Amino acid sequence: MTVQTDVQTFPLYINGQWQPASNNETFDVINPATGQLVAKVAKGTAEDVNKAVHAAREAFDNSDWRNMSPKERANILYQISYAISEHADELAYLEAISSGGTVRRIGGNDILQMVDLFQTLAKFVLEYEFSETLPSPPFPGPAHNFIWREPIGVCAAITPWNLPMVIATWKIAPALAMGNTIVVKPASYTPLSTLKLAEIISEVVPPGVINVVTGSGAEAGEALIKHPNVDKVAFTGSTEVGRRVMELSAGTIKNTTLELGGKSPNIILEDADLSIALPGSLFGVFLHSGQLCESGTRLFVPDQLHDVIVEQLVHLASKIKPGNPLDPNTDVGPVISKKQKETILSYIEAGKQEGATLVCGGKEIKVPGCEDGHFIEPTIFTNVTNDMKIAREEIFGPVLSVIRYSEVDEAIKMANDSIYGLAAGVWTKDVNNAYDIARKLQAGVVWINDWHMLRNDAPFGGYKQSGIGREMGKHSLDAYTQVKHVHTSMVPELHRRNWYGLLFSEK
Ligand code: NAD
């Protein structure tokens, strides 16, 4: 890496080496809390994507990487986890200055989650059934049959700006665990921590196993998906771009997994313990200024508790302190950009226009010391109906829609009335009732009396237009393998092969 005045320049990371973009162009990375330029980053082209895919292809086809034993591979995953811990402060810093996430959250959760994911998958790799032997079948004839699970090949990971490192890890860790190689294209707002992560990982894997091409979605992202030597695409981002990814993948029939947007419903039942349900529901929606795909943005409350719930929510929301993400006392940082801030403010305006009642926040805030940052007050609307724009579209900002219900079945029906199905939640003291409701909710994860709690050994992903496939857990290892059936005949005599009679009528 080279240093220009105070601003670092980050090249592309290809084949274990830093290299500039083929046309030497760069783009700016801006701190969303201060508006300051924090880095210049190589703007990768289709030619650079081609180089990275070539390196990944070579490492897959012509090195020992894919043939390592599970023990060797688990050992590498453990080494990566220790290296991430050693670089925790630097990674958290790079992520905070570009994503606006607080160091408190990144250091106190994200890094630990990444370390734990590599270690969890290391354990899974040791137990993984790479080869399964089938019993000798009566039909069509005696044989020895295996099912082998093999790596897919060169994987492309395209990631969003909200949790850049964690989401890159959800793809990198299982890809490497199963012997694949990977090219990562991070979001243009937040490439820094992913580049650093690749450098750390490269210390323990052969060159070309992990590569990062920074650049725009339209050029670098599309070139990667269309590339004929890429075997799998793992995308996390908006549902709108996810549709485009699917279209492009279709050109070469790529194995594609999609983790997309959400509009997650959160149902408070009459018997809920409000002392937990209310801070829990705000935790569910305002963490990272509402920029989490699983945020519980639609809150369904029973008629008879509506007023008391709203009053307490407003009181609790007023305690959330916005500030510089690098300050450990900051509760929430900025939203990612001026453009995103304007989008969120336009949704707030739409809520007012459609007749919802703004009871908390709703405005941009100027944070002392961060006057050029993009901060928005935690915002709560009541009198929202499930057909309003603010209840249907993903806002990806700190906006909560409170929707009343009189019967629980009505709340479940409204909860499911969405194109999305990423997460859902229910708050009640009656756990059996919660399980009944969880069965009816159309979502990839259901939290009972909690939110945002993801385990590395449990799958995560969406129903409906929130995505295809699952990340984390054993499911994620399956997603980075392909299945081969190997048949060995146990019938050496021609006359016993009566199935040949399907073609030859004469004996
Ligand atoms: P985005 O869809 O705008 O961008 C995601 C990535 O796709 C970026 O790297 C971008 O450069 C790239 N991209 C954009 N256009 C492309 C194209 N035509 N071809 C290939 N790549 C392209 O999403 P975002 O704004 O970065 O992130 C926010 C979205 O991500 C939200 O919708 C959120 O719900 C979703 N998200 C989902 C999950 C999940 O696990 N389901 C997790 C986090 C974020």
Side-chain angles (χ1 to χ4, degrees):
M1 285 182 233
T2 55
V3 175
Q4 293 185 344
T5 61
D6 288 332
V7 176
Q8 215 177 1
T9 297
F10 288 72
L12 310 171
Y13 196 76
I14 298 176
N15 209 19
Q17 287 170 345
W18 295 104
Q19 39 189 286
S22 56
N23 58 10
N24 271 316
E25 281 189 28
T26 58
F27 61 91
D28 294 345
V29 173
I30 306 290
N31 183 336
T34 61
Q36 282 168 344
L37 176 68
V38 290
K40 289 192 165 286
V41 176
K43 191 170 178 192
T45 61
E47 191 183 328
D48 296 313
V49 165
N50 198 32
K51 276 192 215 162
V53 172
H54 180 71
R57 186 85 258 161
E58 278 293 304
F60 185 76
D61 290 344
N62 298 322
S63 82
D64 291 336
W65 172 248
R66 62 179 295 187
N67 299 320
M68 278 182 182
S69 70
K71 202 168 167 189
E72 285 170 308
R73 203 171 292 291
N75 189 24
I76 285 179
L77 297 177
Y78 277 116
Q79 286 178 47
I80 294 173
S81 77
Y82 306 143
I84 291 173
S85 298
E86 277 163 29
H87 290 88
D89 289 348
E90 188 184 356
L91 288 168
Y93 174 76
L94 290 173
E95 181 114 333
I97 59 168
S98 51
S99 73
T102 62
V103 280
R104 198 164 96 215
R105 196 210 74 233
I106 299 167
N109 177 74
D110 297 14
I111 301 270
L112 302 179
Q113 197 193 346
M114 291 157 61
V115 168
D116 184 66
L117 179 61
F118 277 102
Q119 297 188 359
T120 301
L121 294 191
K123 285 181 217 131
F124 286 170
V125 164
L126 292 173
E127 297 160 5
Y128 197 78
E129 205 169 22
F130 286 94
S131 174
E132 185 187 342
T133 306
L134 299 181
S136 193
F139 176 86
H144 196 77
N145 295 76
F146 293 116
I147 295 174
W148 289 346
R149 283 212 169 252
E150 299 186 336
I152 299 177
V154 175
C155 304
I158 299 183
T159 54
W161 46 258
N162 65 331
L163 296 177
M165 275 191 297
V166 165
I167 291 172
T169 303
W170 289 353
K171 300 168 188 350
I172 296 167
L176 302 194
M178 293 288 103
N180 300 278
T181 59
I182 194 161
V183 180
V184 187
K185 207 301 281 170
S188 305
Y189 291 117
T190 54
L192 309 183
S193 49
T194 307
L195 284 162
K196 183 69 202 172
L197 187 63
E199 187 188 36
I200 291 170
I201 292 174
S202 289
E203 297 198 356
V204 288
V205 301
V209 167
I210 180 164
N211 309 275
V212 179
V213 178
T214 46
S216 73
E219 178 159 10
E222 297 217 355
L224 196 49
I225 300 167
K226 285 191 283 192
H227 202 292
N229 274 332
V230 168
D231 302 301
K232 178 192 167 76
V233 173
F235 172 81
T236 298
S238 59
T239 295
E240 189 189 347
V241 176
R243 282 191 197 101
R244 174 80 183 139
V245 170
M246 226 174 154
E247 262 172 43
L248 293 172
S249 295
T252 40
I253 315 288
K254 281 195 174 64
N255 175 322
T256 303
T257 45
L258 303 171
E259 295 283 355
L260 308 176
K263 193 74 197 176
S264 300
N266 180 14
I267 306 174
I268 296 182
L269 299 191
E270 257 181 77
D271 70 342
D273 176 351
L274 295 186
S275 72
I276 294 178
L278 301 189
S281 296
L282 293 187
F283 173 69
V285 67
F286 291 143
L287 187 68
H288 198 11
S289 296
Q291 300 169 112
L292 294 168
C293 49
E294 76 277 11
S295 297
T297 47
R298 291 182 295 147
L299 181 65
F300 294 93
V301 303
D303 271 333
Q304 42 295 45
L305 293 177
H306 177 270
D307 292 354
V308 63
I309 286 179
V310 169
E311 190 190 336
Q312 289 183 43
L313 286 176
V314 172
H315 172 70
L316 286 169
S318 69
K319 294 184 177 176
I320 299 171
K321 291 190 300 290
N324 191 324
L326 294 178
D327 179 347
N329 294 315
T330 292
D331 294 336
V332 283
V335 297
I336 188 70
S337 64
K338 182 165 185 280
K339 183 165 169 262
Q340 182 68 7
K341 177 179 70 188
E342 282 162 5
T343 303
I344 297 165
L345 292 172
S346 75
Y347 272 109
I348 293 172
E349 199 46 45
K352 292 188 211 161
Q353 295 296 326
E354 281 191 287
T357 309
L358 183 66
V359 292
C360 179
K363 295 189 301 297
E364 188 178 344
I365 335 170
K366 288 290 165 208
V367 170
C370 293
E371 285 78 7
D372 292 326
H374 311 298
F375 294 85
I376 295 188
E377 293 173 313
T379 297
I380 303 177
F381 276 107
T382 59
N383 291 323
V384 179
T385 55
N386 204 41
D387 56 355
M388 288 181 183
K389 192 172 169 182
I390 52 170
R392 301 207 77 73
E393 295 181 17
E394 184 183 47
I395 300 173
F396 228 54
V399 183
L400 176 65
S401 292
V402 179
I403 302 172
R404 310 169 78 117
Y405 70 85
S406 50
E407 301 292 333
V408 177
D409 281 348
E410 181 199 354
I412 297 169
K413 198 165 168 224
M414 287 191 284
N416 287 336
D417 180 13
S418 168
I419 61 163
Y420 297 110
L422 190 57
V426 55
W427 301 81
T428 173
K429 291 193 189 110
D430 181 346
V431 174
N432 285 326
N433 188 27
Y435 290 149
D436 285 344
I437 293 173
R439 276 194 195 89
K440 293 176 186 163
L441 289 168
Q442 297 161 354
V445 54
V446 177
W447 284 292
I448 297 169
N449 297 328
D450 218 333
W451 209 277
H452 288 311
M453 300 303 285
L454 299 177
R455 298 175 54 132
N456 283 323
D457 54 0
F460 179 64
Y463 279 34
K464 300 193 270 185
Q465 294 185 35
S466 287
I468 298 177
R470 294 293 179 270
E471 293 193 306
M472 299 193 284
K474 290 196 173 120
H475 297 74
S476 67
L477 297 185
D478 295 345
Y480 284 85
T481 60
Q482 54 193 336
V483 176
K484 182 178 278 172
H485 168 210
V486 180
H487 169 103
T488 314
S489 176
M490 303 300 280
V491 185
E493 305 89 350
L494 181 61
H495 70 272
R496 282 181 60 213
R497 297 188 170 214
N498 49 8
W499 56 95
Y500 284 9
L502 297 172
L503 176 66
F504 300 107
S505 50
E506 277 184 36
K507 295 241 165 144

